[in-house]
Amino acid sequence: HVQDVVQACLLAATHPAACGQVFILTDGGEYSTNEVLAWIHEALGKKSGPSVSYAVLRAGVRLGDVLERLGMHAPLNTDRLSKLAGSARYSNVKIRRELGFDPAWDLRRGIHEMVEGLR
């Protein structure tokens, strides 16, 4: 959330331990793509659409890879699927421990606030 980013930037700008360091900023939670999509639908007041099986996605990926080898743009390819379905974890332990950062917002609440702001 922007308020957490500002707070972390202020801490990093004023705390001596932050000099020359790189910090990852999160709310501390770990979320699946499905959870994030469900929260977006929830904030929009819409029902989630039907799920597509991974096997169907893999078939689409193969087609997309072939199209891209032929010089055409494909909305789905191996790289995009791995980013959507892959696993990535980020930890805010370092900024919490070294600078005392404590996030005020969680992702779900931030998504709801963002959608409301766009309305």
Short mmCIF file of all heavy atoms in Angstrom, two decimals, residues 54 57-58 60-62 64-66 68-69 73-87:
data_model
loop_
_atom_site.label_atom_id
_atom_site.label_comp_id
_atom_site.label_asym_id
_atom_site.label_seq_id
_atom_site.Cartn_x
_atom_site.Cartn_y
_atom_site.Cartn_z
N TYR A 54 -5.12 -26.64 -15.54
CA TYR A 54 -3.74 -26.41 -15.92
C TYR A 54 -3.43 -27.10 -17.25
O TYR A 54 -2.65 -26.59 -18.05
CB TYR A 54 -2.81 -26.90 -14.81
CG TYR A 54 -1.40 -26.39 -14.96
CD1 TYR A 54 -1.09 -25.06 -14.67
CD2 TYR A 54 -0.37 -27.23 -15.38
CE1 TYR A 54 0.20 -24.59 -14.81
CE2 TYR A 54 0.92 -26.76 -15.51
CZ TYR A 54 1.20 -25.43 -15.23
OH TYR A 54 2.48 -24.96 -15.38
N LEU A 57 -4.48 -24.84 -19.99
CA LEU A 57 -3.53 -23.73 -20.08
C LEU A 57 -2.23 -24.18 -20.78
O LEU A 57 -1.68 -23.45 -21.59
CB LEU A 57 -3.21 -23.18 -18.69
CG LEU A 57 -4.32 -22.39 -18.01
CD1 LEU A 57 -3.91 -22.04 -16.58
CD2 LEU A 57 -4.65 -21.14 -18.79
N ARG A 58 -1.76 -25.38 -20.45
CA ARG A 58 -0.54 -25.89 -21.08
C ARG A 58 -0.73 -26.03 -22.59
O ARG A 58 0.18 -25.74 -23.36
CB ARG A 58 -0.14 -27.25 -20.49
CG ARG A 58 0.40 -27.19 -19.09
CD ARG A 58 1.77 -26.57 -18.95
NE ARG A 58 2.75 -27.09 -19.87
CZ ARG A 58 3.78 -26.39 -20.35
NH1 ARG A 58 3.97 -25.15 -20.00
NH2 ARG A 58 4.63 -26.93 -21.19
N GLY A 60 -2.74 -24.21 -24.44
CA GLY A 60 -2.70 -22.84 -24.95
C GLY A 60 -1.28 -22.30 -25.00
O GLY A 60 -0.91 -21.56 -25.92
N VAL A 61 -0.48 -22.68 -24.03
CA VAL A 61 0.92 -22.25 -23.99
C VAL A 61 1.69 -22.81 -25.18
O VAL A 61 2.47 -22.10 -25.82
CB VAL A 61 1.56 -22.71 -22.66
CG1 VAL A 61 3.06 -22.73 -22.73
CG2 VAL A 61 1.11 -21.80 -21.54
N ARG A 62 1.46 -24.08 -25.49
CA ARG A 62 2.16 -24.68 -26.64
C ARG A 62 1.82 -23.94 -27.92
O ARG A 62 2.68 -23.64 -28.73
CB ARG A 62 1.84 -26.17 -26.74
CG ARG A 62 2.57 -26.99 -25.68
CD ARG A 62 2.49 -28.49 -25.97
NE ARG A 62 1.17 -29.06 -25.71
CZ ARG A 62 0.72 -29.40 -24.50
NH1 ARG A 62 1.47 -29.21 -23.45
NH2 ARG A 62 -0.48 -29.91 -24.37
N GLY A 64 0.75 -20.83 -28.12
CA GLY A 64 1.36 -19.51 -28.02
C GLY A 64 2.85 -19.52 -28.32
O GLY A 64 3.36 -18.63 -29.01
N ASP A 65 3.54 -20.54 -27.86
CA ASP A 65 4.98 -20.65 -28.14
C ASP A 65 5.23 -20.81 -29.64
O ASP A 65 6.15 -20.20 -30.19
CB ASP A 65 5.59 -21.83 -27.38
CG ASP A 65 5.70 -21.59 -25.88
OD1 ASP A 65 5.60 -20.41 -25.44
OD2 ASP A 65 5.89 -22.58 -25.14
N VAL A 66 4.40 -21.61 -30.32
CA VAL A 66 4.54 -21.80 -31.77
C VAL A 66 4.28 -20.49 -32.49
O VAL A 66 5.05 -20.08 -33.38
CB VAL A 66 3.58 -22.91 -32.28
CG1 VAL A 66 3.50 -22.91 -33.79
CG2 VAL A 66 4.01 -24.27 -31.75
N GLU A 68 4.62 -17.46 -31.40
CA GLU A 68 5.71 -16.51 -31.16
C GLU A 68 6.97 -16.89 -31.93
O GLU A 68 7.70 -16.02 -32.37
CB GLU A 68 5.96 -16.36 -29.67
CG GLU A 68 4.80 -15.62 -29.02
CD GLU A 68 5.10 -15.03 -27.67
OE1 GLU A 68 6.12 -15.41 -27.05
OE2 GLU A 68 4.30 -14.18 -27.24
N ARG A 69 7.22 -18.19 -32.13
CA ARG A 69 8.35 -18.59 -32.96
C ARG A 69 8.15 -18.17 -34.41
O ARG A 69 9.10 -17.96 -35.14
CB ARG A 69 8.57 -20.10 -32.87
CG ARG A 69 9.36 -20.51 -31.63
CD ARG A 69 9.87 -21.93 -31.72
NE ARG A 69 8.83 -22.93 -31.66
CZ ARG A 69 8.34 -23.45 -30.53
NH1 ARG A 69 8.83 -23.07 -29.37
NH2 ARG A 69 7.39 -24.35 -30.57
N HIS A 73 2.39 -12.30 -32.06
CA HIS A 73 2.19 -12.10 -30.63
C HIS A 73 1.14 -13.09 -30.12
O HIS A 73 0.11 -13.29 -30.75
CB HIS A 73 1.72 -10.68 -30.34
CG HIS A 73 1.32 -10.49 -28.90
ND1 HIS A 73 2.26 -10.41 -27.89
CD2 HIS A 73 0.11 -10.40 -28.31
CE1 HIS A 73 1.63 -10.26 -26.74
NE2 HIS A 73 0.33 -10.25 -26.97
N ALA A 74 1.41 -13.69 -28.99
CA ALA A 74 0.46 -14.60 -28.35
C ALA A 74 0.22 -14.12 -26.92
O ALA A 74 1.16 -13.77 -26.22
CB ALA A 74 1.00 -16.03 -28.35
N PRO A 75 -1.04 -14.08 -26.49
CA PRO A 75 -1.32 -13.62 -25.12
C PRO A 75 -0.83 -14.58 -24.05
O PRO A 75 -0.64 -14.20 -22.91
CB PRO A 75 -2.84 -13.50 -25.09
CG PRO A 75 -3.32 -14.39 -26.17
CD PRO A 75 -2.26 -14.40 -27.22
N LEU A 76 -0.59 -15.83 -24.41
CA LEU A 76 -0.14 -16.81 -23.44
C LEU A 76 1.03 -17.59 -24.03
O LEU A 76 0.97 -18.06 -25.16
CB LEU A 76 -1.28 -17.77 -23.08
CG LEU A 76 -1.04 -18.74 -21.93
CD1 LEU A 76 -0.77 -17.99 -20.63
CD2 LEU A 76 -2.25 -19.65 -21.75
N ASN A 77 2.10 -17.67 -23.27
CA ASN A 77 3.26 -18.48 -23.67
C ASN A 77 3.86 -19.08 -22.41
O ASN A 77 3.35 -18.85 -21.30
CB ASN A 77 4.27 -17.65 -24.47
CG ASN A 77 4.85 -16.50 -23.67
OD1 ASN A 77 4.85 -16.49 -22.45
ND2 ASN A 77 5.32 -15.48 -24.38
N THR A 78 4.92 -19.84 -22.56
CA THR A 78 5.52 -20.52 -21.42
C THR A 78 5.95 -19.54 -20.33
O THR A 78 5.70 -19.76 -19.14
CB THR A 78 6.73 -21.36 -21.87
OG1 THR A 78 6.27 -22.36 -22.79
CG2 THR A 78 7.41 -22.04 -20.69
N ASP A 79 6.57 -18.45 -20.73
CA ASP A 79 7.05 -17.47 -19.76
C ASP A 79 5.89 -16.84 -18.98
O ASP A 79 5.95 -16.72 -17.76
CB ASP A 79 7.85 -16.38 -20.48
CG ASP A 79 8.49 -15.40 -19.51
OD1 ASP A 79 9.11 -15.86 -18.54
OD2 ASP A 79 8.37 -14.18 -19.75
N ARG A 80 4.84 -16.46 -19.67
CA ARG A 80 3.70 -15.83 -18.98
C ARG A 80 3.00 -16.81 -18.05
O ARG A 80 2.59 -16.43 -16.95
CB ARG A 80 2.73 -15.26 -20.01
CG ARG A 80 3.29 -14.05 -20.72
CD ARG A 80 2.26 -13.38 -21.64
NE ARG A 80 2.92 -12.40 -22.46
CZ ARG A 80 3.24 -12.59 -23.75
NH1 ARG A 80 2.93 -13.72 -24.36
NH2 ARG A 80 3.86 -11.65 -24.43
N LEU A 81 2.85 -18.05 -18.47
CA LEU A 81 2.21 -19.04 -17.60
C LEU A 81 3.05 -19.29 -16.35
O LEU A 81 2.50 -19.39 -15.25
CB LEU A 81 1.95 -20.34 -18.34
CG LEU A 81 1.27 -21.44 -17.51
CD1 LEU A 81 -0.10 -20.97 -17.00
CD2 LEU A 81 1.13 -22.72 -18.30
N SER A 82 4.36 -19.36 -16.51
CA SER A 82 5.19 -19.61 -15.33
C SER A 82 5.09 -18.45 -14.35
O SER A 82 5.14 -18.65 -13.14
CB SER A 82 6.63 -19.90 -15.72
OG SER A 82 7.25 -18.75 -16.24
N LYS A 83 4.94 -17.23 -14.85
CA LYS A 83 4.77 -16.08 -13.95
C LYS A 83 3.41 -16.12 -13.25
O LYS A 83 3.30 -15.76 -12.08
CB LYS A 83 4.94 -14.77 -14.71
CG LYS A 83 6.37 -14.50 -15.10
CD LYS A 83 6.50 -13.23 -15.89
CE LYS A 83 7.95 -13.05 -16.33
NZ LYS A 83 8.09 -11.95 -17.28
N LEU A 84 2.37 -16.54 -13.97
CA LEU A 84 1.03 -16.60 -13.39
C LEU A 84 0.88 -17.76 -12.42
O LEU A 84 0.28 -17.62 -11.35
CB LEU A 84 -0.02 -16.75 -14.50
CG LEU A 84 -0.36 -15.50 -15.28
CD1 LEU A 84 -1.26 -15.86 -16.46
CD2 LEU A 84 -1.04 -14.47 -14.40
N ALA A 85 1.39 -18.91 -12.79
CA ALA A 85 1.16 -20.12 -12.00
C ALA A 85 2.36 -20.49 -11.14
O ALA A 85 2.26 -21.38 -10.30
CB ALA A 85 0.81 -21.29 -12.93
N GLY A 86 3.45 -19.81 -11.33
CA GLY A 86 4.66 -20.14 -10.59
C GLY A 86 4.58 -19.68 -9.14
O GLY A 86 3.63 -19.06 -8.70
N SER A 87 5.63 -20.00 -8.44
CA SER A 87 5.67 -19.68 -7.03
C SER A 87 6.82 -18.71 -6.77
O SER A 87 7.95 -18.96 -7.15
CB SER A 87 5.89 -20.97 -6.24
OG SER A 87 6.00 -20.67 -4.87
#
